[in-house]
Amino acid sequence: MKFKLIIVLLVFVPLMGTAQDKKSKADNLYYGYQYQKAIEEYKSEMQKKPLTNGQLLNLADSYFSVGSFDDASKLYLDVNKNDTIMSVNQFNKMLQSLSKNSERDRVRTFLRSKEAQLSPELLENSEFNFSLLDFPASLDNVEINLAGINSPQGDFSPTFYKNGILFSSSRGRNSKNVYEPTGESYLDIYFSRLNSDNQLADVASFSEIPATDFHKSTPYYSTKSSTFFYILSNTEDGALRYDENGKNALAIGSLSETGKFRFLLKDLSTSFYYPFFDDNSERLYFSANFADSYGGTDLYYVYTTNGQIMSAPINLGPRINSPGNEISPYIFNGSLYFSSDIFYGLGGMDVYKSNIISNDSYTIPVNLGEGINSSLDDFGFIIRNGENGNFTGYFSSNRKGGKGGDDLYGFSMANDPGLKTFTLQGKVVNLINKSGLDKTQVRLLNHEGEVLKQTYSTIDGDFRIEVPWVSQITVEAMKDGYSVISTSYSEEGMEKLQNQSYNIGLVKMQDLVVNREDKTVLKLDKFYFDKGKAVVNAEVETELKKVVDAVTRFPQLRLRIETHTDSRGSSSSNNRLSQDRSDAIKDYLIKNGVSSNNIVKSIGYGEDVIKNSCVNGAYCLDFLHKQNERTLFVVE
């Protein structure tokens, strides 16, 4: 497993023996990474006295490390019932063990039981990826080939450089010391060029980065800044440097092609891994295990200016980071690729892809599926545009059929990898006072009206929802006592929504109605038809559009259209005119999308219901007559 190379055993602790004098023989074997021997010794010690919960977790970790997932899951579950000392990373291993034993339903049940304690992002990420595993699929039109330059040792972490790649390896060299925990050489950086057949060839130690007797690994080359970024052991005067606990950590350094070297990230007690420099944002991404980690190693970035670090490390957050380990960040075409050993994957480390919505917002990381991923460790994924519109790249894996521990693989594919998803995020607000509306149900439906997914807005009205890409989407939002919104979008419209905030405005029924003449009616401005006519003019249309909007927002709304005239003219002509006006209003509403089911009746009362003393024969000013000419939309 490559993690023993790049995360666990790269952190060399020579004073371990002193720190473990009070530990049992089994503990010493466990902390010495001799997991199979630790298992046997723990089983022997159990015959003499019960193991502590900490030792049971060590035993569970040992079973996990040697692939005995059934034994591991039983111990993790037992400790989880009786104690709270389990780390979030061990929590992930417990669920990984269950997943590896094909107990995904049990994992889902366990997650639901812990829903209150888990982040909504973790629950959503897991459910999304588990649903993909329920219908497993491999990448279409992808060719994967074992690189011919691999050695019997570990070869991993490729990066594009000029006409070839740089990569890391523990292959032996006379000039390089042996790293005692692995029995292999300290990690070094190598270069391999692409030959005329587009195959990697002619491996050589990369001399442009100064030699060191210790670890030098996981390079990344920025073409724009002509700078190498890589990790190296902390040293002083040519010797390893340790913190007060005897720990030697890894730093990130940069080297310009002019030969200027800088330590960018260095802490004697914290190791940094897998640097990636984004030329567009000038962010330096990396992996580390800080106090704010969501699990093991998380992905972080720092801002830089002219090669100088300009910010504290910023965690990419729970959408990307998990109770597992996240490593190997790589950005291409607006998407973040990385690897994680989170429990909902195919194996150990899997490659995931997340689209970058904004500076610190990401879509659900999607497993790239079988092919790139396997039942073992797959990581260090890099990709670029190839010939004829395809994509090419490399990754590392310790899958069966390789030459050594971790091996380099090349790939070529016709399509951009990863499942395309549709993400909608924004805010639900009250249209009247613009405040956020919480607990509003937001749903996405397909072209057949089937609900793909639903969510609820937060206390501030914020929401986010994501589904696999479809040809058409309908967005619905509803809240008790409020209007309903339903809008459909084609693929073109969906593409536009992907990169902007989508705000939904709802309104309370009480804000749309008023009491008039002892009736509940829609709140509209007063409008008038042209004298003696029943034709919908511009003034009338302005108010009728509000009626259409109200019915759209409240589809169950039932209205009775009541039209009145003043007393001028004959009673029969006024009755006829008011009925014609009611019918004209009804026709307009139906032509503009209001269902006839929403209109209970359209009736003209003529001059039968006069509001003031302006009856037949009475002298009244025009504005008093106008008070009697009106249309009411009565809510049934």
Side-chain angles (χ1 to χ4, degrees):
M1 181 177 183
K2 69 98 200 37
F3 234 33
K4 70 185 177 187
L5 284 174
I6 196 57
I7 289 189
V8 179
L9 296 186
L10 281 184
V11 183
F12 183 31
V13 188
L15 304 183
M16 188 177 293
T18 302
Q20 294 178 356
D21 286 343
K22 296 181 180 180
K23 297 186 182 301
S24 72
K25 181 179 178 181
D27 292 333
N28 288 328
L29 289 168
Y30 168 76
Y31 288 111
Y33 316 113
Q34 299 182 62
Y35 298 116
Q36 190 60 56
K37 291 182 179 180
I39 291 171
E40 300 305 320
E41 186 61 32
Y42 276 126
K43 290 164 72 174
S44 176
E45 292 180 7
M46 288 174 68
Q47 304 301 317
K48 302 173 184 176
K49 64 176 182 178
L51 299 181
T52 66
N53 279 341
Q55 289 178 313
L56 287 173
L57 283 176
N58 291 348
L59 179 55
D61 286 347
S62 298
Y63 277 128
F64 184 90
S65 298
V66 300
S68 297
F69 301 116
D70 187 50
D71 291 321
S73 63
K74 290 176 182 177
L75 280 170
Y76 285 131
L77 288 168
D78 285 344
V79 175
N80 183 69
K81 289 177 185 176
N82 301 323
D83 212 310
T84 57
I85 66 169
M86 181 183 291
S87 69
V88 289
N89 193 245
Q90 287 168 325
F91 171 81
N92 179 61
K93 287 182 180 180
M94 176 181 70
L95 297 183
Q96 274 185 291
S97 301
L98 292 172
S99 294
K100 288 175 181 291
N101 289 329
S102 301
E103 297 187 64
R104 288 180 193 149
D105 288 340
R106 191 174 180 186
V107 173
R108 284 169 159 154
T109 300
F110 187 87
L111 290 173
R112 284 193 290 270
S113 72
K114 300 291 184 181
E115 186 172 344
Q117 293 105 311
L118 301 175
S119 74
E121 291 86 355
L122 175 63
L123 294 170
E124 188 177 20
N125 288 3
S126 61
E127 187 57 40
F128 196 99
N129 280 278
F130 270 140
S131 67
L132 297 182
L133 293 178
D134 288 338
F135 303 95
S138 57
L139 290 170
D140 295 328
N141 302 317
V142 59
E143 295 181 8
I144 298 175
N145 298 294
L146 179 68
I149 61 170
N150 288 301
S151 69
Q153 289 75 40
D155 302 295
F156 59 97
S157 192
T159 188
F160 298 114
Y161 179 66
K162 295 186 177 179
N163 66 329
I165 65 167
L166 300 174
F167 66 97
S168 303
S169 180
S170 59
R171 60 185 67 193
R173 288 177 51 209
N174 293 334
S175 61
K176 201 80 166 174
N177 294 330
V178 171
Y179 182 47
E180 292 181 11
T182 64
E184 298 179 353
S185 173
Y186 277 92
L187 293 170
D188 210 339
I189 297 172
Y190 292 80
F191 173 74
S192 176
R193 69 175 181 85
L194 284 170
N195 62 22
S196 58
D197 295 325
N198 214 31
Q199 300 295 314
L200 293 173
D202 301 335
V203 175
S205 177
F206 189 62
S207 59
E208 292 189 40
I209 296 179
T212 173
D213 291 333
F214 306 107
H215 288 306
K216 180 178 66 178
S217 183
T218 60
Y220 178 76
Y221 178 70
S222 166
T223 304
K224 183 177 180 180
S225 62
S226 300
T227 301
F228 300 98
F229 299 87
Y230 61 101
I231 65 168
L232 67 164
S233 300
N234 282 321
T235 60
E236 186 174 16
D237 298 328
L240 290 174
R241 188 178 178 192
Y242 308 104
D243 68 5
E244 67 261 10
N245 295 315
K247 178 180 179 180
N248 172 251
L250 298 169
I252 292 180
S254 69
L255 179 72
S256 70
E257 288 197 327
T258 62
K260 184 178 181 180
F261 173 81
R262 277 190 180 132
F263 273 113
L264 298 180
L265 293 166
K266 183 177 181 180
D267 186 317
L268 292 182
S269 299
T270 302
S271 282
F272 303 92
Y273 313 101
Y274 296 99
F276 171 83
F277 187 78
D278 181 33
D279 287 332
N280 293 325
S281 64
E282 293 194 56
R283 288 177 173 182
L284 176 63
Y285 291 81
F286 58 93
S287 304
N289 189 350
F290 290 123
D292 66 347
S293 166
Y294 289 90
T297 55
D298 279 4
L299 298 185
Y300 294 82
Y301 68 83
V302 290
Y303 288 105
T304 70
T305 299
N306 298 323
Q308 297 275 15
I309 302 296
M310 302 300 291
S311 73
I314 299 170
N315 192 295
L316 266 61
R319 179 61 64 193
I320 299 299
N321 292 313
S322 75
N325 296 285
E326 281 70 46
I327 60 171
S328 304
Y330 189 85
I331 294 175
F332 175 73
N333 278 357
S335 295
L336 171 68
Y337 295 87
F338 65 97
S339 288
S340 175
D341 64 358
I342 186 62
F343 58 84
Y344 48 73
L346 292 177
M349 278 282 163
D350 279 356
V351 181
Y352 291 83
K353 174 185 178 182
S354 175
N355 297 324
I356 303 172
I357 302 173
S358 62
N359 284 340
D360 291 297
S361 181
Y362 307 87
T363 62
I364 292 174
V366 175
N367 192 296
L368 291 194
E370 294 179 358
I372 295 297
N373 292 320
S374 68
S375 61
L376 295 177
D377 294 316
D378 308 286
F379 63 104
F381 181 91
I382 61 173
I383 186 172
R384 65 182 175 185
N385 294 314
E387 298 176 354
N388 303 318
N390 66 348
F391 301 93
T392 61
Y394 300 91
F395 64 96
S396 315
S397 179
N398 64 349
R399 64 186 63 188
K400 293 179 180 179
K403 187 174 181 180
D406 296 314
D407 291 302
L408 297 173
Y409 289 80
F411 69 84
S412 175
M413 58 181 66
N415 301 314
D416 198 359
L419 176 72
K420 186 176 183 181
T421 65
F422 172 71
T423 306
L424 190 71
Q425 62 180 3
K427 197 178 190 72
V428 184
V429 299
N430 185 316
L431 275 178
I432 303 303
N433 58 24
K434 307 304 180 184
S435 62
L437 286 179
D438 68 342
K439 299 179 182 178
T440 303
Q441 185 184 56
V442 181
R443 307 196 303 178
L444 297 183
L445 290 73
N446 63 16
H447 68 285
E448 295 178 343
E450 300 170 329
V451 177
L452 300 175
K453 198 167 187 180
Q454 66 181 35
T455 189
Y456 289 86
S457 60
T458 67
I459 192 170
D460 296 318
D462 297 321
F463 73 92
R464 182 184 182 280
I465 191 167
E466 186 172 356
V467 295
W469 191 267
V470 291
S471 59
Q472 178 184 309
I473 208 82
T474 297
V475 182
E476 284 189 352
M478 59 196 72
K479 179 179 172 69
D480 288 345
Y482 284 80
S483 56
V484 174
I485 193 75
S486 180
T487 310
S488 297
Y489 297 93
S490 64
E491 288 195 77
E492 182 180 357
M494 292 164 63
E495 292 283 6
K496 293 178 181 178
L497 293 181
Q498 289 274 69
N499 299 312
Q500 63 183 32
S501 179
Y502 186 82
N503 292 331
I504 299 173
L506 301 184
V507 63
K508 275 186 176 180
M509 173 61 77
Q510 293 92 316
D511 293 326
L512 291 181
V513 297
V514 66
N515 187 277
R516 287 178 184 159
E517 302 179 33
D518 295 326
K519 300 173 184 178
T520 300
V521 301
L522 289 184
K523 187 188 298 184
L524 302 173
D525 292 333
K526 193 75 178 287
F527 61 85
Y528 298 98
F529 284 85
D530 293 336
K531 186 174 178 62
K533 294 183 179 180
V535 177
V536 174
N537 58 29
E539 180 184 350
V540 176
E541 185 176 25
T542 296
E543 298 309 305
L544 295 188
K545 286 180 178 178
K546 297 178 183 177
V547 179
V548 174
D549 182 68
V551 175
T552 301
R553 295 181 182 280
F554 293 92
Q556 304 305 316
L557 201 61
R558 290 167 60 80
L559 301 173
R560 188 172 72 251
I561 305 169
E562 298 181 353
T563 303
H564 303 265
T565 66
D566 60 31
S567 63
R568 291 175 291 188
S570 68
S571 295
S572 59
S573 62
N574 282 335
N575 282 331
R576 210 168 34 249
L577 179 61
S578 62
Q579 186 62 53
D580 288 345
R581 287 174 173 175
S582 275
D583 291 341
I585 289 172
K586 178 180 178 180
D587 290 343
Y588 176 91
L589 295 178
I590 291 174
K591 288 178 181 178
N592 284 274
V594 174
S595 171
S596 58
N597 294 327
N598 294 108
I599 303 174
V600 178
K601 193 172 185 179
S602 61
I603 186 170
Y605 286 97
E607 58 184 81
D608 292 347
V609 185
I610 297 298
K611 293 178 63 177
N612 51 30
S613 59
C614 296
V615 295
N616 279 331
Y619 173 77
C620 287
L621 295 175
D622 185 64
F623 83 91
L624 293 173
H625 280 299
K626 287 280 190 181
Q627 291 178 356
N628 294 315
E629 186 179 343
R630 65 203 186 278
T631 297
L632 302 176
F633 293 87
V634 181
V635 178
E636 292 279 301

